[in-house]
Amino acid sequence: MSLLQRTIKLTLATCLAAWLADFLGLTYSTSAGIIAILSISDTRRSTAKLAGNRFLSTLLALAIGSLAFHFLGFNLGALALYIAVYVPLAFRLGWEIGITPSTVLVTHLLLEKSISWPLLGNELTLFLIGTSFALLANLYMPSRQQEINSYHEQVKEQLKKILLRFEYFLKSGDGRNDATLIKELDDILQEALQLVYLDHSNHLFHQTNYHIHYFEMRQAQNRILEDMAGNINNCQLAASESLILARLFSKTAQQLSQENPAHELVEEIETCLAVFRERPLPKTRQEFETRATLLQLLRDLETFIKIKVEFYQNYQKVQAS
């Protein structure tokens, strides 16, 4: 949400809450506006949760404050006792978010030197008005779908660059791979997940975790690519083996879309593994290390693709259910 949108939202919620409280003839009507501005959070879900905690905290504060003023009179000693009892209890119960607005309401009792039911009702109404306008203000949340779609495209393009870079290394025999593209992808995925977590919290109902799981799946794939980059740096395969792997990397790069289940790639890798297993056993240490590197790269590529296949299958089941 932009600074302008946030400012407009806070202004409207604060002023409308104070206006309604004044219109209803409540005393200390501006407190409703203060409660509204304190209750608006970054997401709908957090605003609703905070509202519940603040309401319980307010009930506790008014109860403790009323008892303190009843037994000790309307003085600073009673207020001190209220704070000494209420604050630890609020923290213990997880309602500390309501300490500030609730204490403001309790001070009204001290100023009016009364704990009458009408005054207590006045304070609760101020709270309900302020909180209600905070919830209403947060009904509007700008759509982040366009940004999320942009991250999907960025991730796909970055993965494609990495896989094609692997293809180039294998074909050229150039092992100078510093994994810069992989580090860039990790940063992109971190940003994407921050966005989708925030967007997820703005949907109270009818929500799915698709985008969260999608970017987490890509994170898991990126960790595989990081391991593969190190192996490619140390790779000294025969020309035919390098070309086979290069072709697999190129083919994988062309099949990165969200909708592609990639079953054919898994089958092709299994075929390659079967072919390599049938080759004669290595006779030298170098041949052994080369064969081990080849098999590890194929296994890693298979894992990379199976992560996507499992993701695709899981969401097919969700859509079908």
Side-chain angles (χ1 to χ4, degrees):
M1 186 186 305
S2 69
L3 178 60
L4 177 60
Q5 290 173 324
R6 184 186 297 274
T7 303
I8 291 172
K9 182 182 290 191
L10 290 172
T11 302
L12 287 174
T14 302
C15 294
L16 289 174
W19 172 83
L20 180 59
D22 185 64
F23 177 78
L24 294 175
L26 300 176
T27 57
Y28 306 104
S29 57
T30 54
S31 295
I34 299 302
I35 292 170
I37 202 170
L38 289 172
S39 299
I40 293 178
S41 187
D42 289 334
T43 66
R44 291 172 183 161
R45 184 177 296 180
S46 59
T47 298
K49 181 179 179 180
L50 292 178
N53 288 344
R54 280 197 174 97
F55 178 69
L56 294 172
S57 188
T58 298
L59 291 178
L60 179 66
L62 290 174
I64 294 173
S66 296
L67 289 172
F69 294 137
H70 175 75
F71 289 107
L72 299 181
F74 296 94
N75 52 60
L76 290 178
L79 182 63
L81 177 63
Y82 150 76
I83 294 173
V85 175
Y86 165 65
V87 171
L89 275 176
F91 273 97
R92 176 64 63 88
L93 296 169
W95 300 341
E96 65 273 10
I97 192 69
I99 288 175
T100 301
S102 298
T103 300
V104 170
L105 297 179
V106 169
T107 59
H108 295 166
L109 306 181
L110 176 61
L111 292 172
E112 294 293 323
K113 299 187 183 305
S114 171
I115 53 172
S116 65
W117 287 110
L119 183 57
L120 291 173
N122 180 90
E123 304 311 308
L124 277 177
T125 306
L126 289 175
F127 170 82
L128 292 173
I129 290 173
T131 302
S132 297
F133 273 98
L135 292 171
L136 286 172
N138 262 14
L139 286 178
Y140 169 74
M141 283 290 179
S143 173
R144 316 302 292 269
Q145 192 58 49
Q146 188 173 352
E147 293 176 72
I148 292 171
N149 291 341
S150 173
Y151 274 114
H152 276 285
E153 193 63 27
Q154 288 180 58
V155 168
K156 185 180 79 171
E157 289 303 314
Q158 194 74 3
L159 280 170
K160 187 174 182 179
K161 287 180 186 178
I162 293 167
L163 291 167
L164 293 178
R165 192 71 173 156
F166 284 177
E167 178 197 19
Y168 166 78
F169 289 141
L170 289 168
K171 284 183 175 180
S172 66
D174 183 353
R176 292 171 297 174
N177 177 24
D178 60 0
T180 300
L181 293 175
I182 293 173
K183 294 169 187 172
E184 290 175 358
L185 178 56
D186 189 58
D187 291 338
I188 293 171
L189 287 167
Q190 291 289 346
E191 293 172 8
L193 280 168
Q194 286 179 6
L195 177 63
V196 295
Y197 287 143
L198 180 63
D199 186 71
H200 183 262
S201 295
N202 280 326
H203 296 84
L204 296 176
F205 309 105
H206 307 298
Q207 58 189 342
T208 69
N209 296 323
Y210 173 80
H211 296 299
I212 292 174
H213 290 163
Y214 175 82
F215 289 118
E216 288 178 342
M217 177 269 292
R218 292 304 194 191
Q219 270 191 329
Q221 285 187 314
N222 199 38
R223 286 192 287 270
I224 299 294
L225 292 176
E226 191 171 6
D227 292 337
M228 293 173 75
N231 284 328
I232 287 176
N233 278 348
N234 302 320
C235 195
Q236 295 181 350
L237 303 177
S240 60
E241 295 169 341
S242 293
L243 288 175
I244 291 171
L245 270 175
R247 180 173 57 82
L248 285 172
F249 282 128
S250 177
K251 197 167 183 179
T252 304
Q254 306 307 322
Q255 299 187 33
L256 287 169
S257 70
Q258 296 180 56
E259 297 79 15
N260 193 326
H263 294 298
E264 292 180 7
L265 282 170
V266 175
E267 293 172 3
E268 190 165 347
I269 292 172
E270 289 292 346
T271 301
C272 289
L273 284 168
V275 169
F276 289 134
R277 286 194 198 100
E278 292 174 1
R279 290 189 173 186
L281 292 173
K283 297 178 181 179
T284 66
R285 180 182 180 86
Q286 184 176 3
E287 287 179 358
F288 176 81
E289 291 176 350
T290 298
R291 184 75 61 84
T293 301
L294 169 66
L295 291 174
Q296 186 60 52
L297 284 168
L298 280 170
R299 283 298 185 193
D300 285 344
L301 184 58
E302 182 182 38
T303 303
F304 175 89
I305 296 168
K306 281 185 173 180
I307 289 171
K308 171 67 183 299
V309 170
E310 290 174 6
F311 171 82
Y312 181 85
Q313 290 174 340
N314 289 338
Y315 272 91
Q316 270 195 327
K317 291 176 184 176
V318 169
Q319 290 172 353
S321 61

